[in-house]
Amino acid sequence: MLQVLSSAWALLLGIGLLMLGNGLQGTLLGVRGGIEGYSTLTMSLVMSTYFVGLLLGSWVAPGMIRRVGHVRVFAALASLISAVMVIYPALPNPYIWMLGRLIVGFCFSGVYVTAESWLNNAADNENRGKALSLYMIVMTLGLVAAQGFILIGDPAGYLPFVIASIAVSISFAPILLSISPTPAFDTAKRMTLRELMQASPLGCVGMFLIGGVFSAQFGMSAVYATEAGLKLHQVSLFAASFYVGALFMQFPLGFLSDRMDRRVLIMFVAGIAGVTSVMAMMLSGSFILLLIAAFTIGGLINPLYSLLLAHTNDFLDHDDMASASGGLIFINGLGACSGPVIIGWLMSDAVFGPNGFFLFMAVLLGVLVAYAGYRATQRSTIPVEETGVMPAMSPSVTSVAVEVAQEYAIETELEEQENAAATG
């Protein structure tokens, strides 16, 4: 781990600053939207355009990098992100915000691809797994830290938005001044969605559902907290609790994933998160219980993404795992695009009010539990010793990181098989 830090600390610092800016702008808009008097449906449309931009960027960014190179793409897209952060408070109009969120989502997709390519290039076969783990930790810590920065300055003014812009701008320096040489860029040919669905129906359906749940966590938690009447520091703590939970629960669930039937674990994890969502609806009057619910839901939802990746890999040939990553991320992105819009409708006063936030997650998680149970009756269980390693991934990453994680999982699995054969 120290070797990874010494070789890639500047890159990881830059990534942390990027995530600080990204997490801060999402929470700020949720709070500022309430100040401006925008309805939950309007804010849901604003939030959903970020995920539309991410989806578009995942298709366009690789071509941009091949044409002009990593450095130019990173600098250009990060500059646009920094500019949009300042435009938000200058032009508080929902249509401007939608356009801004679309641009930011598109740009972050390209920035993530570039940063993950550099990280992969900076690591070697021996420390690639640790590099990916550090990348996930730094991303999550950036999101957690962002929630604290919302307390610096009045969200009705400029200062918090300027801080988000500065964080993104500063991130250029450590990345662009320390990364050399420029990595080669190539992605695997993608599997068709039909081929993916045939290989792992649960993986595909689960990815779509988790996309919706993650978009609720990342895009609408601040909107919910504002509509529920929480104070600014409470909004900050509530939004941060999702990511703190993810930081603590990823590796314990990864440990269990490699030692039991993953479908059972998926049902168990989704079931607990779903029940917690229902309890949060019933006990929303207690702020402490809301924090516990957010910690639990965030701690279970993020590892579910990795669990579904690992489950899908169990039914793929090694040569197909990398090519499947793009399709899985696309399916997850479709769910993320639609999630905030549905939540906005559910959270409207004419439907369920703020509790529609938790209702949406509870329904999706309940569907996942039911479908995982159904799939368990349609296909025999793969022996635990024949399953691959679960890569620790976040729904925020691109296909580059997923491909690298899957390749690392393959290498680890092959090494374990060789060791078992040698000792057996």
Side-chain angles (χ1 to χ4, degrees):
M1 193 72 78
L2 290 175
Q3 181 184 355
V4 176
L5 277 173
S6 64
S7 63
W9 68 268
L11 174 61
L12 292 169
L13 174 61
I15 290 169
L17 290 169
L18 282 168
M19 295 309 297
L20 191 154
N22 196 11
L24 184 53
Q25 61 110 14
T27 304
L28 276 172
L29 287 181
V31 175
R32 183 65 176 264
I35 294 173
E36 299 291 341
Y38 300 151
S39 67
T40 54
L41 182 57
T42 298
M43 287 307 301
S44 71
L45 292 171
V46 170
M47 295 304 178
S48 67
T49 52
Y50 172 83
F51 299 101
V52 174
L54 274 180
L55 199 58
L56 292 173
S58 69
W59 289 87
V60 177
M64 294 171 59
I65 293 172
R66 291 190 187 97
R67 283 195 301 272
V68 301
H70 287 75
V71 174
R72 290 179 179 177
V73 168
F74 183 89
L77 296 183
S79 297
L80 280 173
I81 294 170
S82 182
V84 172
M85 300 289 190
V86 180
I87 291 174
Y88 286 140
L91 300 171
N93 179 287
Y95 296 105
I96 299 296
W97 284 7
M98 287 179 200
L99 179 60
R101 287 280 286 179
L102 181 71
I103 293 171
V104 167
F106 179 90
C107 291
F108 262 111
S109 182
V111 165
Y112 290 152
V113 168
T114 307
E116 288 164 12
S117 298
W118 267 322
L119 182 66
N120 183 40
N121 191 64
D124 55 36
N125 291 335
E126 293 183 358
N127 62 21
R128 184 160 284 111
K130 294 182 177 64
L132 284 168
S133 297
L134 271 176
Y135 177 60
M136 295 298 107
I137 292 170
V138 168
M139 289 184 78
T140 306
L141 288 176
L143 290 171
V144 172
Q147 311 315 314
F149 276 89
I150 194 176
L151 301 176
I152 302 177
D154 184 359
Y158 280 84
L159 182 58
F161 292 93
V162 172
I163 291 173
S165 176
I166 291 173
V168 174
S169 297
I170 293 176
S171 71
F172 303 3
I175 293 178
L176 295 180
L177 293 178
S178 67
I179 301 301
S180 128
T182 301
F185 180 78
D186 192 23
T187 55
K189 181 181 178 182
R190 298 184 179 185
M191 293 180 66
T192 66
L193 297 184
R194 176 176 292 184
E195 290 172 335
L196 263 178
M197 190 67 183
Q198 290 173 344
S200 178
L202 175 57
C204 292
V205 173
M207 275 293 185
F208 180 80
L209 296 172
I210 289 302
V213 177
F214 178 74
S215 68
Q217 169 190 305
F218 187 77
M220 295 295 289
S221 58
V223 177
Y224 162 80
T226 302
E227 290 294 318
L230 299 185
K231 297 178 182 178
L232 186 60
H233 74 279
Q234 293 176 322
V235 174
S236 171
L237 289 172
F238 177 72
S241 295
F242 285 101
Y243 306 114
V244 174
L247 198 62
F248 276 89
M249 296 300 294
Q250 181 77 255
F251 296 101
L253 288 176
F255 177 84
L256 291 175
S257 168
D258 297 337
R259 289 160 177 80
M260 63 182 293
D261 186 343
R262 284 183 173 134
R263 291 173 301 188
V264 174
L265 186 58
I266 289 170
M267 291 172 60
F268 181 72
V269 170
I272 293 178
V275 170
T276 303
S277 298
V278 173
M279 293 179 63
M281 291 173 57
M282 300 169 60
L283 304 172
S284 58
S286 170
F287 178 63
I288 297 299
L289 292 178
L290 275 181
L291 291 184
I292 295 172
F295 178 92
T296 304
I297 294 169
L300 297 174
I301 292 306
N302 288 276
L304 262 177
Y305 180 86
S306 299
L307 266 173
L308 289 164
L309 275 176
H311 172 76
T312 303
N313 285 344
D314 290 340
F315 297 97
L316 295 172
D317 294 331
H318 288 168
D319 293 341
D320 293 329
M321 289 183 183
S323 60
S325 61
L328 291 171
I329 287 177
F330 178 76
I331 292 171
N332 185 261
L334 289 178
C337 290
S338 58
V341 179
I342 300 173
I343 295 174
W345 172 73
L346 290 174
M347 286 178 60
S348 62
D349 294 334
V351 188
F352 292 102
N355 278 335
F357 173 76
F358 287 111
L359 176 63
F360 175 78
M361 292 191 288
V363 170
L364 291 192
L365 291 165
V367 172
L368 178 55
V369 171
Y371 190 70
Y374 165 74
R375 289 304 308 171
T377 66
Q378 302 300 303
R379 180 181 276 178
S380 58
T381 302
I382 297 178
V384 173
E385 58 272 13
E386 296 180 13
T387 59
V389 176
M390 173 181 139
M393 286 285 101
S394 163
S396 299
V397 301
T398 71
S399 59
V400 174
V402 176
E403 287 177 21
V404 173
Q406 289 172 320
E407 289 169 0
Y408 173 74
I410 293 170
E411 293 171 0
T412 303
E413 180 185 354
L414 292 176
E415 286 178 4
E416 291 177 353
Q417 291 174 357
E418 291 174 359
N419 292 336
T423 57

